[in-house]
Amino acid sequence: MRIHAVKLRIATSEGDFGFHVRFGERLTIIRGNNSSGKSTLFLSLLYGMGMEELAGGKNDLVLPYATKTHFAYDGRNIEVLASEVLVEVSNHLNDVVTFRRAIKDNVRSPKLIEVLEGAQLSDREQPAWVRSTYLHDPGGAQKAEGFHSFFEQFIGYTLPRVPTTSGGDTKLYLQAIFAAVAIEQKRGWTDYIANIPFFGIRDARTRVVEFLLALDVFETNAERNRLNSDSVEIAVSWDSTYQELYRITSESSLSILNVPHKVSVLFETEKVVVKKRTSESEIGLPEYIGQLRTRYQQLGERANSATSGGSGEAQTALESATKELYRLTNLYETATGTITYQTASVKEYEQLYVEAKEDLARNRTALKLRELGAAVHDIELAKDRCPTCHQGVGDTLLVDVVDGPQMDLETNINYLEKQARMLERQVVGGKNAIKETQTLIRQISSQMDETRALLKSLRGDVATDASESRAIIRQQLQIELEIEKLQKTEEKVQALTQKLQLLAGRLRVNQSERVNLPKEYYSDEDKRKIRVFERLFRANAGTFEYESAPIKDIRINDETLVPFLENIELRNIELTPTKKAEQAVRKGADIKADSSASDFVRLILSYLLALHQASALPNGGGRHPGIFMLDEPGQHSMAQSSQRSLLQQIAGSASLQGIVAASFDESPEVFREVTQGIEFTLIELNGKSIVPLRTTTNHGVEPLA
């Protein structure tokens, strides 16, 4: 990315005022004395790119009054009628666009940014298209009409989703990335990446560094999240399929074996067994259907051999059916009594389980408090000893009440853990027993209905002395219906088990893909990039003459990705005047130039430059946008030699555009010394940055209203 130019236009009763500056391809220095308007130019540039949140606010609130109300020129105050900022930028594909954003306007809101095709500030050509976008409203970073969404795509980014402090996730917003490349003077020098707006991103600074270094962690996390989502979907689908399988088999008094409750890669459809539950036993479904067909055939043979004197046989069948109904009635009453007992038992076990878990939690808390007391405060009582007489003290209130040995906290916790596990198994087993009893009740109820219908038919046979038994016909009809129902159920079972087989296959693929993910948070390639970043950071710190600690001992922490020295984060530490004087004497250096504040600025610059350097390496593969904007990097009395090294680093990088606004202590001598021999583009602010604009015909940009 490159920033070609910025223009501030202020409409007044005396004509247009403002500034129109063009930036060099590499290093551009904006030089001016204090209060000359360097920060106005810098903030206008941020504002025009929709990045004013880096300065601590939104919309025109971050801009000075001179751009909105009035400004001083030639000894008088001039009122601002309307104002706007235009910024011309290009991307890695050499596409050029110009952003136009109002500051004060009766028609256009500061939330509107117009994107004009082409180099409107350089070539002033009529744009082929104009695109209106918005920002600072919902969707500005996601929707096609949002400015930050457009800017993200224009730069060539695909920003990842990252964890939030509330436990969800959100987008790594473009403003967070720009906080590592645009440093404004008020808050920008207080931390390594200080100006990240608050978006609720957890460890936002670390996420920005990970993105700029193109660490695999985002792709890894995205892949891990995909696999997690897929595994959840597999588990939910398995559960719903299993429940459907259990429902249709229960309705037909069938039981199914070798189908686990939870998804398993070991599941095989060939091992699935379906059995028919009868009042006496269970038999395989194919065998049971075979028995029904045999019974049907036998009934047909009986019907063919029946004679007019068959009432005796009907009478015998009637008595047999009556006995069967009595037997089934007794079984039904026994089963209903059993399920009542089972339900009560499960409720009791559940209550005991809850109580055991509560007791376990209380005992664990008590043990933790006792251990904390013993370890942290060395309290005698926490060690079961009286602090006065040093005799043993029991950890129970029942020492004098209960005879015999008593369990201490550790033993009691172990006992409660085992009891809780046992009760949990009892609850699960009890619920499974209830399901089995419910299936048996449905089976018995169905058999009772069939037997009652048979009895009705048999009584009719006995009464009419029918030669063709209506009872036999009814039984054959019932058998036909049952066989048809069981065959349909069997087909559904096969379809559902096939679906389970596919889910098991998906789980196998899911687990095999997880094996290829890095076992640790950072992959080996990520760690290599971090070490390269670390070496570049140390090299920069040495170039910028960092002296507060041995540079060879500085490391980049693998968790936070910030510099650490013996597990202490290197940051700005204010020293007392006495300590500063002692440091100056010890180092033989100027107090102002060698203060801890200036050393911390060196660390910040070393850190931010190393991000670009590591990203720009041939095997770096990073995502740095290639711009570096600094407002007053020398304001903390950083030595002139360090400032010179900074400018040399920026000017010497072909892949980096640097824009540095500085006063150079308002000294021409300091400016010449710092910039001697360095190629750069100079923007000199003589007096004030806001001056009359030259009258030019600009066909590409409409004049202010």
Side-chain angles (χ1 to χ4, degrees), residues 609-624:
L609 272 175
L611 285 176
H612 169 262
Q613 293 164 343
S615 177
L617 288 174
N619 60 346
R623 304 187 183 97
H624 199 283

Side-chain angles (χ1 to χ4, degrees), residues 41-82:
L41 195 158
F42 194 89
L43 291 173
S44 297
L45 182 57
L46 289 180
Y47 180 83
M49 294 192 296
M51 295 296 161
E52 74 275 8
E53 286 175 278
L54 303 184
K58 293 182 179 181
N59 299 318
D60 59 322
L61 295 177
V62 303
L63 295 175
Y65 69 88
T67 64
K68 298 177 289 186
T69 58
H70 65 276
F71 59 89
Y73 178 74
D74 198 21
R76 64 187 188 280
N77 286 334
I78 300 178
E79 183 181 356
V80 175
L81 301 179

Side-chain angles (χ1 to χ4, degrees), residues 294-312:
T294 301
R295 175 63 177 160
Y296 183 90
Q297 185 178 359
Q298 291 173 347
L299 289 171
E301 292 173 355
R302 283 176 54 190
N304 292 332
S305 61
T307 63
S308 59
S311 59

Side-chain angles (χ1 to χ4, degrees), residues 691-705:
V691 295
L693 291 175
R694 290 181 300 172
T695 303
T696 57
T697 302
N698 188 341
H699 299 290
V701 180
E702 294 294 328
L704 283 169

Side-chain angles (χ1 to χ4, degrees), residues 450-519:
E450 294 174 1
T451 305
R452 290 191 186 99
L454 177 61
L455 280 171
K456 183 178 180 181
S457 298
L458 287 171
R459 291 189 184 102
D461 290 345
V462 171
T464 60
D465 194 22
S467 60
E468 186 175 351
S469 174
R470 286 181 295 177
I472 291 177
I473 296 174
R474 178 175 289 278
Q475 289 182 73
Q476 286 183 313
L477 180 59
Q478 289 175 343
I479 290 172
E480 288 178 354
L481 293 174
E482 185 173 6
I483 290 175
E484 182 181 2
K485 179 182 178 182
L486 290 175
Q487 287 176 334
K488 289 182 178 179
T489 301
E490 190 175 29
E491 292 174 359
K492 291 180 180 178
V493 168
Q494 290 176 352
L496 291 172
T497 53
Q498 285 296 328
K499 183 177 180 180
L500 293 178
Q501 185 70 69
L502 293 175
L503 291 172
R506 283 178 58 187
L507 181 64
R508 185 185 298 275
V509 173
N510 186 290
Q511 291 181 348
S512 64
E513 290 178 349
R514 287 180 185 274
V515 173
N516 298 325
L517 293 176
K519 300 299 183 294

Side-chain angles (χ1 to χ4, degrees), residues 29 39 69 161 163 246 327 362 377 458 507 558 592 687:
I29 296 177
S39 293
T69 58
R161 298 194 69 80
Y246 176 80
R327 188 184 71 84
R362 284 193 291 268
H377 300 292
L458 287 171
L507 181 64
D558 285 344
K592 179 180 179 181

